[in-house]
Amino acid sequence: MDHAPRSGLAAVSTALLAMSRRLEVRDVLRTIVIEARALLGARYAALGVPDDHGGFAQFVVDGISEEQWRRIGPLPRQHGILAAMLHQEGAERLADVRKDPRFEGWPAAHPEMADFLGRPIRDGEETLGALFLANKHAPGGFTEEDGELLGLLAQHAAIALTNARLYERSRELTIAEERSRLAHELHDAVSQKLFSLRLTAQAAAALVDRDPARAKDELHQVAALAAEAADELRAAVTELRPAGLDEDGLAATLRGHVRVLDRAQAARVTFTCDGVRALPAAQEEALLRVAQEALHNALRHSGADRVDVVLARRGTGAVLTVADNGSGFDPAAVRAAGRHLGLVSMRDRAAGAGGRLTVHSAPAVGTTIEMEVPGG
């Protein structure tokens, strides 16, 4: 019985593991294209995800520079060879795609392609996308074995894409549940404050004539309750704001979040970013949520007049630090009392993203929360 060389099996294993490790659809698409091009020795690779309007919702390429991709122009439509790959069963192998009767040309900035290999990515009857490769480095073009290998990749790509879609849907449900929870908290907290505010104002009105001094005290209490209600409203609205991670990235999103808090709160809130660019999407979301929770605790409970947020590179990953100069607390006493100040949820978020959370605090010395993630 013939066996593939060990190096070939190792390369296939590496490609399949790389696809299965990704959670976000955009990361899975990119990984499939990169691994397919490397495994099959192609100069170019692309993966198109169809929309319902005759075009592609996403079209990921590898082997073409960003500048060249911009010059090529809008995403392609579903026509010619691209359409054929979405609707046929197996692989399509061509010695020269330009000589195929279905070939309809390409934009002026498009690179010249000759030998071609393509295959749909299917989950049952549903076509999730189509994978294309062109210009094999080795002479002679793509082989029948390449087509079989691409079929294996396509099967695992379908599994990885389906899992990523399920993960994103699950996360959307979690976000919806979180928004619902925040809305209930907002209603309960602000309603209680407004109820107290109304009773205190009524008491002040009743005391104006017979006891002006007490009425004055009650009015001071009205002002304090109004300020607390405004703070809780601002905090809840800030938490409900869309994260914008996909569009802006973690550093920009954190900077904007901190800027809003610095304007809305009496405390000085600062943000510094040192060398952190892009991280895996799940890690970026976890870091953002932990930062929001830590800032919420510092501004609502610590009495701090300064909170500093720092996002810094550490190895291939990053570390987030949220430090305040507030009253601090004894972590052991908090645990013994059954309170957690959001620490349990923060630790869960950190662990879920493959990271770890560390808390340093003591009475009268402030609190520092640090979350480290490994990157990717």
Side-chain angles (χ1 to χ4, degrees):
M1 180 177 180
D2 292 332
H3 295 277
R6 184 171 181 81
S7 59
L9 289 174
V12 173
S13 176
T14 299
L16 299 184
L17 285 173
M19 288 190 289
S20 66
R21 285 177 178 148
R22 306 298 177 179
L23 292 176
E24 303 287 338
V25 169
R26 61 177 182 173
D27 294 337
V28 170
L29 294 173
R30 182 73 178 146
T31 303
I32 292 170
V33 172
I34 291 172
E35 296 297 332
R37 185 169 83 92
L39 189 61
L40 291 168
R43 177 68 183 86
Y44 304 108
L47 195 164
V49 177
D51 62 17
D52 297 325
H53 310 289
F56 286 94
Q58 294 168 289
F59 202 87
V60 183
V61 299
D62 192 43
I64 297 175
S65 69
E66 290 185 11
E67 176 59 31
Q68 189 174 14
W69 181 240
R70 282 194 294 270
R71 292 201 310 270
I72 289 172
L75 294 184
R77 304 292 296 171
Q78 295 174 25
H79 62 83
I81 296 292
L82 300 187
M85 291 305 97
L86 291 170
H87 297 103
Q88 69 180 47
E89 289 296 326
E92 180 78 51
R93 187 162 53 94
L94 302 171
D96 192 335
V97 67
R98 297 166 296 185
K99 297 178 180 178
D100 189 276
R102 296 165 295 180
F103 178 67
E104 298 180 12
W106 43 52
H110 199 283
E112 284 294 320
M113 296 181 180
D115 48 309
F116 172 91
L117 181 64
R119 188 183 184 98
I121 298 174
R122 293 259 177 87
D123 179 22
E125 295 299 316
E126 182 184 5
T127 299
L128 304 180
L131 189 55
F132 318 100
L133 298 116
N135 295 20
K136 187 174 177 70
H137 290 301
F142 296 101
T143 65
E144 185 176 345
E145 288 74 16
D146 289 332
E148 293 174 357
L149 186 53
L150 186 62
L152 177 63
L153 278 179
Q155 292 175 29
H156 285 268
I159 295 170
L161 274 173
T162 300
N163 288 340
R165 286 181 170 184
L166 291 172
Y167 169 78
E168 290 195 351
R169 288 170 189 166
S170 172
R171 194 177 68 176
E172 287 170 7
L173 288 174
T174 301
I175 292 171
E177 291 169 358
E178 182 73 2
R179 285 176 178 267
S180 177
R181 180 189 67 79
L182 287 170
H184 284 300
E185 287 185 2
L186 171 63
H187 176 269
D188 293 344
V190 176
S191 293
Q192 290 172 12
K193 285 289 188 300
L194 292 178
F195 181 69
S196 299
L197 188 62
R198 185 175 66 180
L199 291 180
T200 307
Q202 289 172 347
L207 290 168
V208 165
D209 293 329
R210 70 172 184 269
D211 194 341
R214 282 189 60 195
K216 185 177 180 181
D217 290 340
E218 294 293 333
L219 288 173
H220 284 311
Q221 182 65 17
V222 166
L225 287 169
E228 290 177 13
D231 285 345
E232 292 200 8
L233 180 61
R234 279 193 294 263
V237 169
T238 298
E239 287 190 65
L240 287 168
R241 290 169 63 91
L245 284 174
D246 288 343
E247 295 80 13
D248 303 326
L250 178 62
T253 302
L254 270 176
R255 185 175 289 108
H257 185 72
V258 166
R259 188 182 298 120
V260 170
L261 291 177
D262 188 45
R263 289 198 303 263
Q265 303 288 337
R268 178 82 172 102
V269 190
T270 70
F271 174 71
T272 304
C273 180
D274 181 15
V276 177
R277 296 182 181 273
L279 295 165
Q283 294 181 18
E284 289 197 345
E285 181 176 353
L287 286 165
L288 176 64
R289 296 305 180 192
V290 166
Q292 289 176 325
E293 182 72 33
L295 283 164
H296 174 83
N297 287 343
L299 295 170
R300 292 282 299 280
H301 304 300
S302 75
D305 59 21
R306 184 179 181 91
V307 185
D308 297 312
V309 181
V310 178
L311 182 65
R313 183 176 178 179
R314 181 173 290 178
T316 59
V319 59
L320 168 78
T321 305
V322 181
D324 69 67
N325 64 350
S327 57
F329 61 93
D330 180 352
V334 167
R335 286 194 298 271
R339 299 166 63 227
H340 54 78
L341 302 178
L343 297 178
V344 173
S345 64
M346 285 192 280
R347 285 199 172 96
D348 286 345
R349 287 189 186 278
R356 61 189 178 93
L357 189 87
T358 307
V359 179
H360 303 283
S361 188
V365 299
T367 300
T368 298
I369 290 177
E370 182 179 284
M371 176 178 165
E372 183 177 357
V373 294

